[in-house]
Amino acid sequence: MDSDLVHLILATLGLIALVWVFRKRQLVRARGVEVDARCYDREWRGQGGPTFLLSFRTEDGRKMTCSATEGEVPPGTRAGDTVVVRYDPADPGRVETVIASRRPLWKRGDLIGLVVFEVALIVVALR
């Protein structure tokens, strides 16, 4: 397979990933419902801070779980504490804490990483 074609395919896949992540963020921001979630555990995954495991109920009573990083929950959060989350009623799997959803998009590490990766792929594909 031609290397230019491979680069073009990778750049296209990167663009799709960027649009997918941005779309998810915008849907949660636009139509998200805020509910209280209970922090039921903290996990330590090697280096870095803990991952907080949260559970909440949707408006129709379904129990959902999600995880959040240390920067996405209030400082000092422990197991048993309440964290406000926002979820998309059309797809309750689209959920993030209110702290994360209010953060400007340009301060989102995942989006910044995807944009940098995408730009690099496009530069390589256009050479």
Side-chain angles (χ1 to χ4, degrees):
M1 183 178 274
D2 183 45
S3 67
D4 289 340
L5 180 60
V6 171
H7 291 134
L8 182 60
I9 290 170
L10 289 174
T12 302
L13 291 175
L15 184 59
I16 291 169
L18 180 64
V19 168
W20 188 263
V21 170
F22 183 74
R23 179 180 175 273
K24 174 189 171 188
R25 301 283 186 237
Q26 289 306 103
L27 287 173
V28 171
R29 285 176 175 215
R31 61 184 181 203
V33 174
E34 290 185 12
V35 295
D36 288 339
R38 186 176 134 316
C39 176
Y40 65 89
D41 199 6
R42 289 187 309 170
E43 291 181 345
W44 292 85
R45 298 180 183 167
Q47 295 179 345
T51 297
F52 295 84
L53 305 176
L54 310 171
S55 70
F56 64 96
R57 291 210 178 266
T58 62
E59 290 179 320
D60 61 3
R62 286 185 286 168
K63 185 175 181 179
M64 303 294 294
T65 61
C66 65
S67 62
T69 63
E70 193 171 25
E72 297 172 334
V73 298
T77 298
R78 303 267 185 248
D81 289 350
T82 299
V83 176
V84 181
V85 297
R86 180 179 285 165
Y87 74 93
D88 179 358
D91 182 0
R94 288 187 195 126
V95 59
E96 56 188 14
T97 67
V98 169
I99 291 172
S101 71
R102 291 184 179 155
R103 186 175 300 141
L105 290 175
W106 59 271
K107 286 189 174 182
R108 300 297 303 248
D110 54 351
L111 286 177
I112 292 169
L114 276 173
V115 168
V116 169
F117 181 70
E118 179 61 21
V119 167
L121 285 175
I122 290 171
V123 167
V124 169
L126 293 176
R127 283 185 174 182

